[in-house]
Amino acid sequence: MSSRQLLLVLLTLVSGSALAKEPLNNYSFFHNSRMTGHYFYTKVIGAANVNNIQDKLPVSELIFHTPGNSLQLAYTNQAGSQWQATIYRQQIRGQDHFSPANYLSFWVYKTSAATTSEDLPSVFLVGEDSLQVQNLSFDIKAQNVWTRVLLPIKLQDVSDPAKLIGVGFQQNNTNGKKHELYIDDIELVTNDTAPRTSLRPVISGAVGAMKHIDLRWPVIADPAIAFVKIYRATDSKTYKPVGIQFASINRYADFTGVTARKFSYRISFLNSRYEETALSKPVSASTRVMTDNELLTMVQEASFRYYWEGAEKLSGLAKENILGRHDMIASGASGFGIMALIVGTERKFITRDAAIKRFVQIVNFLENTETFHGAFAHFIDGPTGKAEPFFGSRDNGGDLVETSFLLQGLLTAKAYFSGAGAEEKMVRDKITAIWEKVEWNWYRQFPNSKFLYWHWSPDQGWTINHNLVGWNETMVTYLLAIASPTHPVPASMYYSGWANLDSTGRQYRAAWGGTQDGSGYANGNSYYGIKLDVGVSNGGPLFFTHYGYLGYDPHAITDKYTNYFTNNKNIASINYRYCQDNPGGYRGYGDSCWGLTASDGPFHYGANEPVLRQDPGIIAPTGAISSFPYLPEASMKALKNYYNNYGKFLWGEYGFRDAFSLTDNWCADIYMGLNQAPMTVMIENYRTGLLWKLFMSTPDIKNGLEKLAAETAKQR
Ligand code: CA
């Protein structure tokens, strides 16, 4: 198994854990398509007889049950040519706990009374082996009205709804007639009944930005509320439904696409049967012209909210992704998020008092969290503080890389909260204790080892056995291990491990990059006319230049091979030029749509980079936007393009959604903890250098870099 394969195994969700007791999700196949035109997760067979776009079902924005769209199923029942249309479930990372599934529920709308019960398609479920597991029939009486279809299902061998991958419709007769249906809100449900809330909906705020309005309402605790439905009026009178939001999120970003116009809003609550409350009182706001500086702040604040409003409740730390697990904390993303909270405090998105309260909560949680020779697990269960083996049973111990991302954030917070108050002092003291407890030298695996190792667990030991070799995101791990005042490793490990020149290091890099370029740590080749001193392949994914340099100022890191601000800038430039060159011929790529990095994808998380074999056409906004310190003009162009032109699908309550592919007409539903904060933080480092200044002021960090400089002098 190559290193890349190993890493991707670790990056890929393996299975849900029996430990977690998560809130249960409905098993949904469709509510809305993010993209207009057609819905990515559909497949039409017998396309001559079904209206389709590239064998996918069209999306209707005119007729829908929940706003803003539904699926159109327009078909002709021909003899000798059967059709099928299947809607597949989008696997949402971390949605792995589901309510019991007793019924298939969906909503149907027919446009003609001539579509009789014989003309309606039959329904089937698709099992994980892609075989049809049940055939059901349904009937609807009235035309031009939405009707709920509720079909009891017996899953038989399929005990877990997560083993159903799709719901299909297929031809039932051969009379040659044409029919038009619309289908919406396809899901598996437990009951035919649902309580109704007695709460009255209230909009508590509406704030206009360049092309969107930020709506918010009080946090919803009533389990009878499943969705919030949003209505918009442009004349203060005629309210049209424009969207729905899950009840777990108490805001909605309504992307109107126009600037300098007033909009009015009302909201209602829906229960799980889509029964609706009365509407709230109206609230109005206007979109407005924003300067480049205001746009930067807008992106910073929206991404910051992921960590402020979207945090795991007990710890105040970051979730792996939203809409994934509710109770699970991701350590590295939390470190990034801590720095986003500091930006939010400095830019007055929140008060300093509110920030201090959150940091007291964070450090009180972390001092009682399960650690492994001082290192935190990759994922932590909020309610128990124990390691959560989300990536599989072997990953149940300490994760040194995630720990280093977390500590980078904590040490920055220690520098930021320098006040004399008792709470600020307590935050500093507890961060010091957490930092000094990490046994970096334990993670060498054996005495005098050249390498640090990524994982260790009490019952699995060193089974994963992944040694840390650069070029990748783990320089910060070596630098912190060298800087530790209590459990340091020798500075020589920077060269023996991170920049290793043995066959171990060469094989690792060649396996990651699929090329000998950069296999000897130094690279030396030019790509698009840009000389790359250090890097696997032609630089790798952009997160290599982000994660470890949110606090560590790369201007200050020079080894015997290069300076890392220059090298990171060159990696970003190569990525930018690759996307302009666009050898894959993907839609959208160019000088305002660039930046290949790790992100969600249509089927799984992946580390994308500027080589054709690792470029499936997916752009993550964090790629270009977190590169602001390196290529500010190109990053600004990308930010404006993503917001102005793609905002309708890409901009949401926490800023830019994780990733999109114009080629596949796909956009992620989720935001990821690893990708939102780097945008806030790196924009700030570009604007003021705040996080770099804070982190680099830490005496232990200065001391570590001096040790590295002394080692480099010896190496020359
Ligand atoms: Ca809908």
Side-chain angles (χ1 to χ4, degrees), residues 34-35 253 255 593 619-622 625 638-662 666-671 676 679:
R34 289 245 162 259
M35 308 296 271
F255 196 87
C593 183
I619 293 287
T622 196
I625 295 174
L639 183 156
K640 288 181 175 175
N641 181 35
Y642 298 158
Y643 180 75
N644 289 325
N645 300 319
Y646 307 150
K648 188 183 174 200
F649 58 85
L650 195 55
W651 183 262
E653 56 278 355
Y654 303 122
F656 292 112
R657 291 191 171 82
D658 195 59
F660 65 98
S661 164
L662 296 186
W666 172 86
C667 179
D669 273 334
I670 66 169
Y671 309 84
Q676 295 308 103
M679 291 190 267

mmCIF file of all heavy atoms in Angstrom, residues 34-35 253 255 593 619-622 625 638-662 666-671 676 679:
data_model
loop_
_atom_site.group_PDB
_atom_site.id
_atom_site.type_symbol
_atom_site.label_atom_id
_atom_site.label_comp_id
_atom_site.label_asym_id
_atom_site.label_seq_id
_atom_site.Cartn_x
_atom_site.Cartn_y
_atom_site.Cartn_z
ATOM 1 N N ARG A 34 -28.943 21.654 -5.305
ATOM 2 C CA ARG A 34 -28.215 22.927 -5.185
ATOM 3 C C ARG A 34 -28.095 23.594 -6.555
ATOM 4 O O ARG A 34 -28.101 24.815 -6.653
ATOM 5 C CB ARG A 34 -26.801 22.687 -4.650
ATOM 6 C CG ARG A 34 -26.772 22.303 -3.225
ATOM 7 C CD ARG A 34 -26.087 23.341 -2.349
ATOM 8 N NE ARG A 34 -26.486 23.070 -0.994
ATOM 9 C CZ ARG A 34 -27.409 23.739 -0.334
ATOM 10 N NH1 ARG A 34 -27.982 24.790 -0.878
ATOM 11 N NH2 ARG A 34 -27.767 23.386 0.866
ATOM 12 N N MET A 35 -27.920 22.762 -7.574
ATOM 13 C CA MET A 35 -27.660 23.288 -8.910
ATOM 14 C C MET A 35 -28.949 23.323 -9.718
ATOM 15 O O MET A 35 -29.829 22.463 -9.560
ATOM 16 C CB MET A 35 -26.636 22.410 -9.633
ATOM 17 C CG MET A 35 -25.361 22.153 -8.858
ATOM 18 S SD MET A 35 -24.384 23.628 -8.519
ATOM 19 C CE MET A 35 -23.352 23.714 -9.977
ATOM 20 N N ALA A 253 -28.789 32.179 4.461
ATOM 21 C CA ALA A 253 -28.236 33.213 3.583
ATOM 22 C C ALA A 253 -29.026 33.163 2.278
ATOM 23 O O ALA A 253 -28.932 32.188 1.538
ATOM 24 C CB ALA A 253 -26.751 32.954 3.337
ATOM 25 N N PHE A 255 -29.349 34.225 -1.214
ATOM 26 C CA PHE A 255 -28.571 34.840 -2.285
ATOM 27 C C PHE A 255 -29.531 35.343 -3.353
ATOM 28 O O PHE A 255 -30.118 34.576 -4.100
ATOM 29 C CB PHE A 255 -27.568 33.847 -2.873
ATOM 30 C CG PHE A 255 -26.514 34.526 -3.692
ATOM 31 C CD1 PHE A 255 -25.361 35.024 -3.108
ATOM 32 C CD2 PHE A 255 -26.693 34.701 -5.059
ATOM 33 C CE1 PHE A 255 -24.402 35.685 -3.860
ATOM 34 C CE2 PHE A 255 -25.732 35.363 -5.817
ATOM 35 C CZ PHE A 255 -24.590 35.853 -5.219
ATOM 36 N N CYS A 593 -11.000 30.989 -11.151
ATOM 37 C CA CYS A 593 -11.539 29.733 -10.609
ATOM 38 C C CYS A 593 -10.403 28.740 -10.594
ATOM 39 O O CYS A 593 -10.117 28.095 -11.608
ATOM 40 C CB CYS A 593 -12.706 29.251 -11.478
ATOM 41 S SG CYS A 593 -13.513 27.766 -10.866
ATOM 42 N N ILE A 619 -13.417 22.104 -7.591
ATOM 43 C CA ILE A 619 -12.763 23.289 -7.024
ATOM 44 C C ILE A 619 -13.327 23.523 -5.623
ATOM 45 O O ILE A 619 -14.546 23.546 -5.425
ATOM 46 C CB ILE A 619 -13.021 24.528 -7.903
ATOM 47 C CG1 ILE A 619 -12.321 24.391 -9.259
ATOM 48 C CG2 ILE A 619 -12.594 25.808 -7.185
ATOM 49 C CD1 ILE A 619 -10.817 24.536 -9.225
ATOM 50 N N ALA A 620 -12.425 23.673 -4.650
ATOM 51 C CA ALA A 620 -12.816 24.061 -3.288
ATOM 52 C C ALA A 620 -12.454 25.532 -3.112
ATOM 53 O O ALA A 620 -11.303 25.904 -3.318
ATOM 54 C CB ALA A 620 -12.093 23.203 -2.258
ATOM 55 N N PRO A 621 -13.414 26.377 -2.740
ATOM 56 C CA PRO A 621 -13.092 27.803 -2.575
ATOM 57 C C PRO A 621 -11.917 28.064 -1.643
ATOM 58 O O PRO A 621 -11.164 29.019 -1.833
ATOM 59 C CB PRO A 621 -14.398 28.381 -2.022
ATOM 60 C CG PRO A 621 -15.459 27.503 -2.610
ATOM 61 C CD PRO A 621 -14.858 26.111 -2.611
ATOM 62 N N THR A 622 -11.728 27.200 -0.627
ATOM 63 C CA THR A 622 -10.627 27.420 0.311
ATOM 64 C C THR A 622 -9.274 27.375 -0.380
ATOM 65 O O THR A 622 -8.308 27.961 0.115
ATOM 66 C CB THR A 622 -10.691 26.389 1.465
ATOM 67 O OG1 THR A 622 -9.869 26.821 2.547
ATOM 68 C CG2 THR A 622 -10.230 25.010 1.011
ATOM 69 N N ILE A 625 -8.816 31.014 -1.791
ATOM 70 C CA ILE A 625 -9.053 32.072 -0.803
ATOM 71 C C ILE A 625 -8.091 31.969 0.378
ATOM 72 O O ILE A 625 -7.652 32.979 0.926
ATOM 73 C CB ILE A 625 -10.537 32.072 -0.372
ATOM 74 C CG1 ILE A 625 -11.406 32.434 -1.586
ATOM 75 C CG2 ILE A 625 -10.781 33.049 0.775
ATOM 76 C CD1 ILE A 625 -12.889 32.345 -1.353
ATOM 77 N N ALA A 638 -10.789 35.177 -7.582
ATOM 78 C CA ALA A 638 -11.532 33.939 -7.336
ATOM 79 C C ALA A 638 -12.674 34.201 -6.358
ATOM 80 O O ALA A 638 -13.812 33.771 -6.579
ATOM 81 C CB ALA A 638 -10.589 32.863 -6.794
ATOM 82 N N LEU A 639 -12.381 34.940 -5.284
ATOM 83 C CA LEU A 639 -13.421 35.234 -4.284
ATOM 84 C C LEU A 639 -14.612 35.914 -4.948
ATOM 85 O O LEU A 639 -15.773 35.536 -4.732
ATOM 86 C CB LEU A 639 -12.818 36.113 -3.186
ATOM 87 C CG LEU A 639 -13.696 36.483 -1.987
ATOM 88 C CD1 LEU A 639 -12.812 36.823 -0.780
ATOM 89 C CD2 LEU A 639 -14.639 37.643 -2.247
ATOM 90 N N LYS A 640 -14.340 36.922 -5.772
ATOM 91 C CA LYS A 640 -15.439 37.662 -6.414
ATOM 92 C C LYS A 640 -16.203 36.783 -7.396
ATOM 93 O O LYS A 640 -17.437 36.869 -7.491
ATOM 94 C CB LYS A 640 -14.884 38.901 -7.123
ATOM 95 C CG LYS A 640 -14.441 39.993 -6.168
ATOM 96 C CD LYS A 640 -13.927 41.197 -6.953
ATOM 97 C CE LYS A 640 -13.587 42.338 -6.014
ATOM 98 N NZ LYS A 640 -12.978 43.477 -6.747
ATOM 99 N N ASN A 641 -15.475 35.972 -8.136
ATOM 100 C CA ASN A 641 -16.146 35.065 -9.083
ATOM 101 C C ASN A 641 -17.027 34.071 -8.344
ATOM 102 O O ASN A 641 -18.194 33.857 -8.711
ATOM 103 C CB ASN A 641 -15.083 34.330 -9.902
ATOM 104 C CG ASN A 641 -15.694 33.394 -10.927
ATOM 105 O OD1 ASN A 641 -16.742 33.675 -11.513
ATOM 106 N ND2 ASN A 641 -15.052 32.252 -11.145
ATOM 107 N N TYR A 642 -16.498 33.466 -7.278
ATOM 108 C CA TYR A 642 -17.270 32.460 -6.529
ATOM 109 C C TYR A 642 -18.541 33.099 -5.944
ATOM 110 O O TYR A 642 -19.614 32.519 -5.965
ATOM 111 C CB TYR A 642 -16.452 31.856 -5.384
ATOM 112 C CG TYR A 642 -15.205 31.114 -5.801
ATOM 113 C CD1 TYR A 642 -14.161 30.921 -4.897
ATOM 114 C CD2 TYR A 642 -15.064 30.592 -7.081
ATOM 115 C CE1 TYR A 642 -13.010 30.244 -5.247
ATOM 116 C CE2 TYR A 642 -13.901 29.917 -7.440
ATOM 117 C CZ TYR A 642 -12.881 29.746 -6.521
ATOM 118 O OH TYR A 642 -11.748 29.080 -6.869
ATOM 119 N N TYR A 643 -18.387 34.300 -5.405
ATOM 120 C CA TYR A 643 -19.535 34.948 -4.763
ATOM 121 C C TYR A 643 -20.511 35.515 -5.804
ATOM 122 O O TYR A 643 -21.705 35.218 -5.775
ATOM 123 C CB TYR A 643 -19.053 36.067 -3.823
ATOM 124 C CG TYR A 643 -20.179 36.786 -3.121
ATOM 125 C CD1 TYR A 643 -20.860 36.188 -2.065
ATOM 126 C CD2 TYR A 643 -20.577 38.055 -3.520
ATOM 127 C CE1 TYR A 643 -21.909 36.845 -1.428
ATOM 128 C CE2 TYR A 643 -21.618 38.717 -2.888
ATOM 129 C CZ TYR A 643 -22.284 38.101 -1.838
ATOM 130 O OH TYR A 643 -23.320 38.745 -1.220
ATOM 131 N N ASN A 644 -19.998 36.327 -6.716
ATOM 132 C CA ASN A 644 -20.890 37.031 -7.654
ATOM 133 C C ASN A 644 -21.573 36.093 -8.630
ATOM 134 O O ASN A 644 -22.746 36.269 -8.951
ATOM 135 C CB ASN A 644 -20.103 38.077 -8.445
ATOM 136 C CG ASN A 644 -19.708 39.258 -7.582
ATOM 137 O OD1 ASN A 644 -20.452 39.657 -6.695
ATOM 138 N ND2 ASN A 644 -18.529 39.807 -7.829
ATOM 139 N N ASN A 645 -20.827 35.109 -9.126
ATOM 140 C CA ASN A 645 -21.353 34.283 -10.212
ATOM 141 C C ASN A 645 -21.864 32.921 -9.763
ATOM 142 O O ASN A 645 -22.690 32.325 -10.437
ATOM 143 C CB ASN A 645 -20.281 34.110 -11.290
ATOM 144 C CG ASN A 645 -19.857 35.455 -11.858
ATOM 145 O OD1 ASN A 645 -20.699 36.327 -12.086
ATOM 146 N ND2 ASN A 645 -18.561 35.645 -12.049
ATOM 147 N N TYR A 646 -21.343 32.397 -8.658
ATOM 148 C CA TYR A 646 -21.746 31.069 -8.201
ATOM 149 C C TYR A 646 -22.473 31.115 -6.855
ATOM 150 O O TYR A 646 -22.805 30.079 -6.288
ATOM 151 C CB TYR A 646 -20.526 30.142 -8.070
ATOM 152 C CG TYR A 646 -19.666 30.050 -9.313
ATOM 153 C CD1 TYR A 646 -18.290 29.800 -9.208
ATOM 154 C CD2 TYR A 646 -20.207 30.203 -10.585
ATOM 155 C CE1 TYR A 646 -17.488 29.712 -10.342
ATOM 156 C CE2 TYR A 646 -19.411 30.132 -11.723
ATOM 157 C CZ TYR A 646 -18.052 29.883 -11.590
ATOM 158 O OH TYR A 646 -17.268 29.799 -12.707
ATOM 159 N N GLY A 647 -22.698 32.325 -6.356
ATOM 160 C CA GLY A 647 -23.253 32.455 -5.009
ATOM 161 C C GLY A 647 -24.577 31.745 -4.812
ATOM 162 O O GLY A 647 -24.875 31.267 -3.721
ATOM 163 N N LYS A 648 -25.372 31.641 -5.863
ATOM 164 C CA LYS A 648 -26.693 31.035 -5.701
ATOM 165 C C LYS A 648 -26.594 29.608 -5.159
ATOM 166 O O LYS A 648 -27.412 29.182 -4.355
ATOM 167 C CB LYS A 648 -27.455 31.047 -7.029
ATOM 168 C CG LYS A 648 -28.907 30.606 -6.845
ATOM 169 C CD LYS A 648 -29.704 30.528 -8.119
ATOM 170 C CE LYS A 648 -31.078 29.945 -7.815
ATOM 171 N NZ LYS A 648 -31.734 29.418 -8.997
ATOM 172 N N PHE A 649 -25.593 28.868 -5.638
ATOM 173 C CA PHE A 649 -25.440 27.510 -5.090
ATOM 174 C C PHE A 649 -24.320 27.413 -4.060
ATOM 175 O O PHE A 649 -24.335 26.550 -3.195
ATOM 176 C CB PHE A 649 -25.224 26.466 -6.205
ATOM 177 C CG PHE A 649 -24.040 26.698 -7.105
ATOM 178 C CD1 PHE A 649 -22.773 26.265 -6.747
ATOM 179 C CD2 PHE A 649 -24.202 27.323 -8.327
ATOM 180 C CE1 PHE A 649 -21.676 26.461 -7.584
ATOM 181 C CE2 PHE A 649 -23.114 27.533 -9.181
ATOM 182 C CZ PHE A 649 -21.856 27.116 -8.807
ATOM 183 N N LEU A 650 -23.331 28.298 -4.162
ATOM 184 C CA LEU A 650 -22.100 28.103 -3.386
ATOM 185 C C LEU A 650 -22.086 28.855 -2.051
ATOM 186 O O LEU A 650 -21.394 28.453 -1.123
ATOM 187 C CB LEU A 650 -20.915 28.546 -4.260
ATOM 188 C CG LEU A 650 -19.505 28.144 -3.840
ATOM 189 C CD1 LEU A 650 -19.395 26.624 -3.663
ATOM 190 C CD2 LEU A 650 -18.482 28.624 -4.874
ATOM 191 N N TRP A 651 -22.853 29.959 -1.966
ATOM 192 C CA TRP A 651 -22.789 30.779 -0.748
ATOM 193 C C TRP A 651 -23.911 30.375 0.214
ATOM 194 O O TRP A 651 -25.074 30.290 -0.180
ATOM 195 C CB TRP A 651 -22.915 32.265 -1.100
ATOM 196 C CG TRP A 651 -22.769 33.143 0.110
ATOM 197 C CD1 TRP A 651 -23.772 33.690 0.859
ATOM 198 C CD2 TRP A 651 -21.547 33.553 0.724
ATOM 199 N NE1 TRP A 651 -23.241 34.415 1.901
ATOM 200 C CE2 TRP A 651 -21.880 34.348 1.843
ATOM 201 C CE3 TRP A 651 -20.191 33.318 0.447
ATOM 202 C CZ2 TRP A 651 -20.909 34.914 2.679
ATOM 203 C CZ3 TRP A 651 -19.223 33.884 1.276
ATOM 204 C CH2 TRP A 651 -19.583 34.673 2.373
ATOM 205 N N GLY A 652 -23.542 30.148 1.470
ATOM 206 C CA GLY A 652 -24.550 29.749 2.448
ATOM 207 C C GLY A 652 -24.290 30.363 3.804
ATOM 208 O O GLY A 652 -23.554 31.349 3.935
ATOM 209 N N GLU A 653 -24.896 29.791 4.832
ATOM 210 C CA GLU A 653 -24.873 30.385 6.168
ATOM 211 C C GLU A 653 -23.468 30.440 6.779
ATOM 212 O O GLU A 653 -23.208 31.265 7.643
ATOM 213 C CB GLU A 653 -25.854 29.657 7.097
ATOM 214 C CG GLU A 653 -25.645 28.162 7.222
ATOM 215 C CD GLU A 653 -26.258 27.364 6.072
ATOM 216 O OE1 GLU A 653 -26.931 27.954 5.214
ATOM 217 O OE2 GLU A 653 -26.030 26.144 6.019
ATOM 218 N N TYR A 654 -22.565 29.556 6.343
ATOM 219 C CA TYR A 654 -21.188 29.602 6.846
ATOM 220 C C TYR A 654 -20.216 30.011 5.747
ATOM 221 O O TYR A 654 -19.056 29.610 5.745
ATOM 222 C CB TYR A 654 -20.795 28.246 7.438
ATOM 223 C CG TYR A 654 -21.725 27.774 8.541
ATOM 224 C CD1 TYR A 654 -22.403 26.561 8.446
ATOM 225 C CD2 TYR A 654 -21.925 28.547 9.680
ATOM 226 C CE1 TYR A 654 -23.264 26.138 9.448
ATOM 227 C CE2 TYR A 654 -22.783 28.132 10.683
ATOM 228 C CZ TYR A 654 -23.450 26.928 10.566
ATOM 229 O OH TYR A 654 -24.299 26.523 11.564
ATOM 230 N N GLY A 655 -20.696 30.794 4.801
ATOM 231 C CA GLY A 655 -19.821 31.246 3.718
ATOM 232 C C GLY A 655 -19.863 30.291 2.541
ATOM 233 O O GLY A 655 -20.922 29.757 2.204
ATOM 234 N N PHE A 656 -18.706 30.081 1.936
ATOM 235 C CA PHE A 656 -18.664 29.209 0.767
ATOM 236 C C PHE A 656 -18.816 27.746 1.168
ATOM 237 O O PHE A 656 -18.139 27.285 2.093
ATOM 238 C CB PHE A 656 -17.343 29.395 0.012
ATOM 239 C CG PHE A 656 -17.226 30.739 -0.646
ATOM 240 C CD1 PHE A 656 -16.301 31.676 -0.193
ATOM 241 C CD2 PHE A 656 -18.051 31.075 -1.711
ATOM 242 C CE1 PHE A 656 -16.201 32.921 -0.799
ATOM 243 C CE2 PHE A 656 -17.958 32.322 -2.326
ATOM 244 C CZ PHE A 656 -17.034 33.243 -1.865
ATOM 245 N N ARG A 657 -19.706 27.031 0.468
ATOM 246 C CA ARG A 657 -19.790 25.582 0.675
ATOM 247 C C ARG A 657 -18.491 24.938 0.232
ATOM 248 O O ARG A 657 -17.683 25.545 -0.464
ATOM 249 C CB ARG A 657 -20.999 25.019 -0.066
ATOM 250 C CG ARG A 657 -22.292 25.484 0.562
ATOM 251 C CD ARG A 657 -23.525 24.743 0.043
ATOM 252 N NE ARG A 657 -24.657 25.115 0.869
ATOM 253 C CZ ARG A 657 -25.379 26.234 0.717
ATOM 254 N NH1 ARG A 657 -25.102 27.061 -0.287
ATOM 255 N NH2 ARG A 657 -26.364 26.526 1.534
ATOM 256 N N ASP A 658 -18.293 23.672 0.653
ATOM 257 C CA ASP A 658 -16.954 23.109 0.602
ATOM 258 C C ASP A 658 -16.356 23.036 -0.794
ATOM 259 O O ASP A 658 -15.170 23.322 -0.962
ATOM 260 C CB ASP A 658 -16.936 21.725 1.253
ATOM 261 C CG ASP A 658 -15.512 21.295 1.548
ATOM 262 O OD1 ASP A 658 -14.840 22.022 2.304
ATOM 263 O OD2 ASP A 658 -15.065 20.279 0.988
ATOM 264 N N ALA A 659 -17.132 22.640 -1.794
ATOM 265 C CA ALA A 659 -16.538 22.400 -3.119
ATOM 266 C C ALA A 659 -17.638 22.306 -4.158
ATOM 267 O O ALA A 659 -18.814 22.128 -3.820
ATOM 268 C CB ALA A 659 -15.726 21.106 -3.104
ATOM 269 N N PHE A 660 -17.238 22.419 -5.426
ATOM 270 C CA PHE A 660 -18.206 22.307 -6.511
ATOM 271 C C PHE A 660 -17.505 21.845 -7.778
ATOM 272 O O PHE A 660 -16.284 21.945 -7.897
ATOM 273 C CB PHE A 660 -18.920 23.649 -6.765
ATOM 274 C CG PHE A 660 -18.009 24.750 -7.260
ATOM 275 C CD1 PHE A 660 -17.922 25.044 -8.611
ATOM 276 C CD2 PHE A 660 -17.232 25.479 -6.367
ATOM 277 C CE1 PHE A 660 -17.076 26.054 -9.076
ATOM 278 C CE2 PHE A 660 -16.384 26.485 -6.820
ATOM 279 C CZ PHE A 660 -16.314 26.771 -8.180
ATOM 280 N N SER A 661 -18.301 21.320 -8.699
ATOM 281 C CA SER A 661 -17.803 20.948 -10.020
ATOM 282 C C SER A 661 -18.807 21.437 -11.051
ATOM 283 O O SER A 661 -19.937 20.944 -11.094
ATOM 284 C CB SER A 661 -17.634 19.430 -10.134
ATOM 285 O OG SER A 661 -17.510 19.060 -11.505
ATOM 286 N N LEU A 662 -18.420 22.426 -11.849
ATOM 287 C CA LEU A 662 -19.319 22.888 -12.912
ATOM 288 C C LEU A 662 -19.451 21.814 -13.984
ATOM 289 O O LEU A 662 -20.504 21.684 -14.607
ATOM 290 C CB LEU A 662 -18.798 24.186 -13.526
ATOM 291 C CG LEU A 662 -18.736 25.408 -12.614
ATOM 292 C CD1 LEU A 662 -18.332 26.639 -13.412
ATOM 293 C CD2 LEU A 662 -20.062 25.651 -11.904
ATOM 294 N N TRP A 666 -22.413 19.869 -9.931
ATOM 295 C CA TRP A 666 -22.489 19.383 -8.546
ATOM 296 C C TRP A 666 -21.943 20.435 -7.595
ATOM 297 O O TRP A 666 -20.962 21.125 -7.912
ATOM 298 C CB TRP A 666 -21.653 18.098 -8.409
ATOM 299 C CG TRP A 666 -21.512 17.633 -6.987
ATOM 300 C CD1 TRP A 666 -22.376 16.841 -6.286
ATOM 301 C CD2 TRP A 666 -20.437 17.942 -6.077
ATOM 302 N NE1 TRP A 666 -21.909 16.647 -5.007
ATOM 303 C CE2 TRP A 666 -20.731 17.306 -4.857
ATOM 304 C CE3 TRP A 666 -19.260 18.698 -6.186
ATOM 305 C CZ2 TRP A 666 -19.887 17.404 -3.743
ATOM 306 C CZ3 TRP A 666 -18.422 18.803 -5.078
ATOM 307 C CH2 TRP A 666 -18.743 18.154 -3.872
ATOM 308 N N CYS A 667 -22.583 20.567 -6.434
ATOM 309 C CA CYS A 667 -22.044 21.410 -5.363
ATOM 310 C C CYS A 667 -22.257 20.694 -4.033
ATOM 311 O O CYS A 667 -23.314 20.107 -3.798
ATOM 312 C CB CYS A 667 -22.735 22.770 -5.330
ATOM 313 S SG CYS A 667 -22.148 23.851 -4.006
ATOM 314 N N ALA A 668 -21.252 20.736 -3.170
ATOM 315 C CA ALA A 668 -21.347 20.108 -1.851
ATOM 316 C C ALA A 668 -22.483 20.727 -1.051
ATOM 317 O O ALA A 668 -22.713 21.936 -1.125
ATOM 318 C CB ALA A 668 -20.032 20.275 -1.100
ATOM 319 N N ASP A 669 -23.167 19.901 -0.279
ATOM 320 C CA ASP A 669 -24.134 20.418 0.690
ATOM 321 C C ASP A 669 -23.450 20.828 1.990
ATOM 322 O O ASP A 669 -24.049 21.515 2.808
ATOM 323 C CB ASP A 669 -25.187 19.351 1.018
ATOM 324 C CG ASP A 669 -26.348 19.389 0.038
ATOM 325 O OD1 ASP A 669 -26.604 20.462 -0.544
ATOM 326 O OD2 ASP A 669 -26.998 18.344 -0.149
ATOM 327 N N ILE A 670 -22.219 20.370 2.171
ATOM 328 C CA ILE A 670 -21.575 20.523 3.490
ATOM 329 C C ILE A 670 -20.521 21.629 3.496
ATOM 330 O O ILE A 670 -20.077 22.116 2.450
ATOM 331 C CB ILE A 670 -20.914 19.199 3.950
ATOM 332 C CG1 ILE A 670 -19.745 18.806 3.036
ATOM 333 C CG2 ILE A 670 -21.955 18.091 4.031
ATOM 334 C CD1 ILE A 670 -18.903 17.669 3.584
ATOM 335 N N TYR A 671 -20.162 21.997 4.724
ATOM 336 C CA TYR A 671 -19.003 22.830 5.003
ATOM 337 C C TYR A 671 -18.062 21.958 5.812
ATOM 338 O O TYR A 671 -18.514 21.155 6.635
ATOM 339 C CB TYR A 671 -19.376 24.043 5.841
ATOM 340 C CG TYR A 671 -20.532 24.839 5.301
ATOM 341 C CD1 TYR A 671 -21.847 24.457 5.581
ATOM 342 C CD2 TYR A 671 -20.321 25.973 4.525
ATOM 343 C CE1 TYR A 671 -22.916 25.192 5.091
ATOM 344 C CE2 TYR A 671 -21.388 26.714 4.039
ATOM 345 C CZ TYR A 671 -22.681 26.317 4.324
ATOM 346 O OH TYR A 671 -23.741 27.039 3.845
ATOM 347 N N GLN A 676 -13.021 25.839 6.265
ATOM 348 C CA GLN A 676 -13.600 27.175 6.462
ATOM 349 C C GLN A 676 -12.617 28.116 7.170
ATOM 350 O O GLN A 676 -12.382 29.231 6.716
ATOM 351 C CB GLN A 676 -14.907 27.090 7.262
ATOM 352 C CG GLN A 676 -16.047 26.350 6.585
ATOM 353 C CD GLN A 676 -16.377 26.793 5.184
ATOM 354 O OE1 GLN A 676 -16.023 26.119 4.206
ATOM 355 N NE2 GLN A 676 -17.045 27.913 5.039
ATOM 356 N N MET A 679 -9.689 30.091 5.496
ATOM 357 C CA MET A 679 -10.057 31.291 4.733
ATOM 358 C C MET A 679 -10.045 32.521 5.640
ATOM 359 O O MET A 679 -9.445 33.548 5.314
ATOM 360 C CB MET A 679 -11.437 31.110 4.078
ATOM 361 C CG MET A 679 -11.414 30.080 2.961
ATOM 362 S SD MET A 679 -12.938 30.040 1.987
ATOM 363 C CE MET A 679 -13.866 28.765 2.820
#
